[in-house]
């Protein structure tokens, strides 16, 4: 089964492909149309982007929208993670967390699948904490400062397989693939 994955992020593709392969699903990367809906809801952003992508590629396609939610910062940067990463970055977030004892945070992933029958949405979440300093050079984005529950390593200290054992994205893609294989449209 082949499904397009509309994204500008090569790391997302690599992570998702590893998971999808286990289900016999081939993800084909394609450029996402770059009009992002301004919304504080990841689901709305993903669904809107998936509909646009479907009109563009004219074939079944997924879009994934993700964000890092820090409890002590009332969920910031959340849906603004991409902008915050590009502006203040990892060091800016560490600064905001200086002196903060409650390090709890989670990543959320929303996968929206657009196809002839409409849009289906799948979620993934990983809980963990914000490290005291950046560690590791693998992965992308806020990986150097996120330690998932059950590990002492940051995501940036893990290879793709290990990150996928924990990650929000791997969970959402797994749920999508399970649905696709068991209940999805058979003509894909
Ligand atoms: P798209 O083209 O797919 O939208 P993007 O990089 O803009 O790619 P998102 O808007 O979904 O992706 O991601 C928002 C930001 O959240 C992203 O730039 C990272 O900084 C951060 N992020 C999301 N998932 C992450 C992960 O697995 N590890 C580290 N940071 C992550």
């Amino acid at each position: 089964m082949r499904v397009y994955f509309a994204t500008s992020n090569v790391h997302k593709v690599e992570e998702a492909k590893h998971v999808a392969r286990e289900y016999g699903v081939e993800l084909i990367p394609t450029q996402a149309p770059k009009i992002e809906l301004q919304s504080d809801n990841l689901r709305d952003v993903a669904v809107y982007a998936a509909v646009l992508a479907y009109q563009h590629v004219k074939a079944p396609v997924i879009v994934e929208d993700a964000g890092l939610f820090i409890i002590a910062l009332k969920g910031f940067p959340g849906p603004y993670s991409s902008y915050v990463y590009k502006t203040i970055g990892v060091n800016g977030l560490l600064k905001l967390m200086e002196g903060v004892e409650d390090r709890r945070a989670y990543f959320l992933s929303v996968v929206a699948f657009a196809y002839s029958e409409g849009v289906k949405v799948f979620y993934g979440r990983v809980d963990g904490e914000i490290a005291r300093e950046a560690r590791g050079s693998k992965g992308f984005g806020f990986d150097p400062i996120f330690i998932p529950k059950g590990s002492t390593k940051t995501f940036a200290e893990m290879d793709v397989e290990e990150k996928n054992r924990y990650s929000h994205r791997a969970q959402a893609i797994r749920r999508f693939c399970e649905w696709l294989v068991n209940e999805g449209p058979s003509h894909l």
Side-chain angles (χ1 to χ4, degrees):
M1 266 179 282
R2 306 171 84 212
V3 174
Y4 284 94
F5 184 4
T7 178
S8 58
N9 186 322
V10 293
H11 302 279
K12 282 187 175 184
V13 174
E14 205 203 340
E15 292 177 16
K17 270 190 159 187
H18 266 264
V19 175
R21 208 175 288 144
E22 293 165 25
Y23 295 86
V25 175
E26 187 192 352
L27 293 179
I28 305 155
T30 181
Q31 276 300 318
K34 261 287 147 197
I35 314 154
E36 271 210 3
L37 180 72
Q38 280 306 311
S39 165
D40 59 6
N41 186 309
L42 288 186
R43 183 188 178 280
D44 293 349
V45 174
V47 168
Y48 179 76
V51 169
L52 280 187
Y54 183 67
Q55 288 166 357
H56 185 73
V57 298
K58 298 182 174 63
V61 58
I62 57 168
V63 166
E64 190 241 9
D65 208 55
L68 174 66
F69 296 75
I70 301 177
I71 306 292
L73 303 181
K74 301 189 174 6
F76 183 83
Y80 310 108
S81 294
S82 181
Y83 181 71
V84 168
Y85 179 73
K86 281 185 238 154
T87 51
I88 64 171
V90 164
N91 289 331
L93 265 197
L94 279 178
K95 262 223 153 70
L96 288 177
M97 291 296 286
E98 257 168 33
V100 177
E101 279 316 306
D102 180 1
R103 314 293 296 183
R104 288 174 302 153
Y106 58 91
F107 272 114
L108 268 191
S109 162
V110 181
V111 167
F113 173 58
Y115 64 123
S116 58
E117 288 160 43
V119 182
K120 288 278 293 179
V121 179
F122 304 86
Y123 299 90
R125 169 175 169 154
V126 56
D127 288 274
E129 50 185 60
I130 302 298
R132 301 267 166 193
E133 73 286 302
R135 297 199 314 257
S137 55
K138 297 174 192 151
F140 71 100
F142 296 113
D143 280 345
I145 55 168
F146 186 80
I147 305 168
K149 218 178 232 164
S151 179
T152 52
K153 291 183 193 171
T154 68
F155 271 163
E157 294 176 306
M158 300 180 180
D159 56 26
V160 172
E161 283 88 354
E162 191 174 4
K163 179 177 173 185
N164 277 349
R165 268 185 246 140
Y166 299 94
S167 93
H168 52 311
R169 177 165 307 103
Q171 280 179 43
I173 294 285
R174 246 177 236 127
R175 287 178 179 144
F176 160 63
C177 289
E178 264 158 32
W179 172 82
L180 187 67
V181 168
N182 295 315
E183 297 169 56
S186 50
H187 55 272
L188 279 186

